[in-house]
Amino acid sequence: MTIWFPNIEGGSGPVYRRIAHAIRSAVDDGSLKPGDRLPTHRDLAYHLGVTVGTITRSYREAERLGLVAGEVGRGTYVLGNLQSELDMAVTVPAPGHFSNNIGKMARETANDDDEDIGPVNFRMNCPLPPREDHIRNVLIDVAKCTPLDDMITYKSEYGMPGHRRALASMAGALGLDDNPERVLPTAGVQHGMTVSLLATVRPGDLVLCEELTYPNLRSLANLLQFRLRGVAMDDEGIIPDVLETLCRTQSPRAIYLMPTLHNPLCCTMSQQRRMEIAEILRKYDLLLIEDGIYHFLNPDAPPPLSCFAPERSIYLDGVSKSIGGGLRVGYIHAPSEMIAKLASAIRSTCWMVSAINLELVLRLIEDGSLKRYEAWHREEAARRLSIILGTLKGYNVRFHPTNYHIWLDLPDHIDPGELVMNAANNGVLLTAAQQFSVGHPQRGLRLCFGAEKSTERLRHGVQIVERLLQTSEFGNTVVM
């Protein structure tokens, strides 16, 4: 079999985009067909004389365009030119031009919103922002009433006092110490993760996490060169006995956990389990980095694990899931003696958090809008979950009644990677367990249902997934 390599000579623009455009052209002219495997990152980097990082970026760009899908351990495969079919769906009215249900779906749902055109996105865990004019009006008021210098000049990495007080009030509502001196603003929780690890972990250190974890932690492990090891889990989260054994034998430096509405398994740790974990943290002098980004979707959850070991806990939270992903505001809550070092890491990574964003969030906290948005999200998640569960009857689904994603356990005869590829070829984007696994491979997939605006697209997409699950021949591309 001949391996395809792109020709990027004579092009303009960044190399990674020229490679992605070459992939699109090859799909358009038939040089690359659905199911074809692209060269490995290392092979293509060697062939073109570029870095492996450039190839990684180009494949990510091709994946964003809906041209390819990558799976850990399997490589990167061509999905087909979904976008070309979708363009036809919008511009060509004749039904005979649609080769499968992707075109039909796009034709039925096409409108002025670009988000409603393209593959059904069950991959991104990004709830819809609230649909109202209040945020716009608050932004206008910020522009009118806030001195220009306060909005656009450099500020301290510690943040302005009023902003820290507002963020501390969010932490206090969860049971954490509401002292503003223990809080630092961040550009979202992901930035908070980076800052926390930069300030506390050194290359070669061992960091523990759940055996299925947020994929960005794996990326940070590669970037910061620390070792990562997963801890076995049960229905509540990590198992205390396993954690203690690892602490006793491996001397880890820190542990990253998501005890409330774990991503991707949806589980929430009981208060008793949190207390047991806290005792182990103390016994072995283990630092906790706790991600609480989904806590608002489960108001009945116990207090943060950080409340049970506050002297060795860094708690991360933000508003990207409750207000909007583009509003990059979060906070770090940490012991007082860690604050200066964490602030230095903030200064090193982004100097400061945008004062305009912080001012907007402050006002949404103070006028009660944030709490209202959180309640709305719980209602919307429950409504959407009923569509998902109503279609996936008879399958082993892990969920929470007011959460925006589910975990689908897969039987042994279904290959998760093949299922993800077949779903993509039928216009549905999913995430397989390999993306979350730390250690031995897991079986299953995550399905997120907050990103799609149209519930009709949501219903159509999950129907495709259900039909694919019923299909026995997962080794072949299935087009419905």
Side-chain angles (χ1 to χ4, degrees), residues 127-130 135 170 293 296 317-325 369-370 372-374 376-377:
L128 289 174
I135 295 177
M170 291 179 62
I293 189 64
F296 73 95
D317 197 3
V319 300
S320 62
K321 307 300 182 183
S322 54
I323 301 179
S369 297
L370 178 60
R372 183 160 52 87
Y373 296 154
E374 290 175 350
W376 176 81
H377 276 300

Side-chain angles (χ1 to χ4, degrees), residues 425-480:
N425 281 329
N426 284 278
V428 179
L429 302 181
L430 300 169
T431 308
Q434 290 93 327
Q435 300 297 318
F436 305 97
S437 296
V438 178
H440 61 85
Q442 304 286 325
R443 297 192 56 77
L445 60 86
R446 187 189 69 177
L447 190 154
C448 305
F449 44 88
E452 288 291 339
K453 290 184 177 181
S454 165
T455 53
E456 287 306 309
R457 279 171 56 89
L458 190 76
R459 183 175 287 106
H460 184 85
V462 75
Q463 287 171 350
I464 290 176
V465 174
E466 195 274 336
R467 289 199 293 270
L468 284 171
L469 287 168
Q470 291 183 4
T471 303
S472 59
E473 296 297 329
F474 285 95
N476 299 317
T477 301
V478 179
V479 178
M480 292 179 255

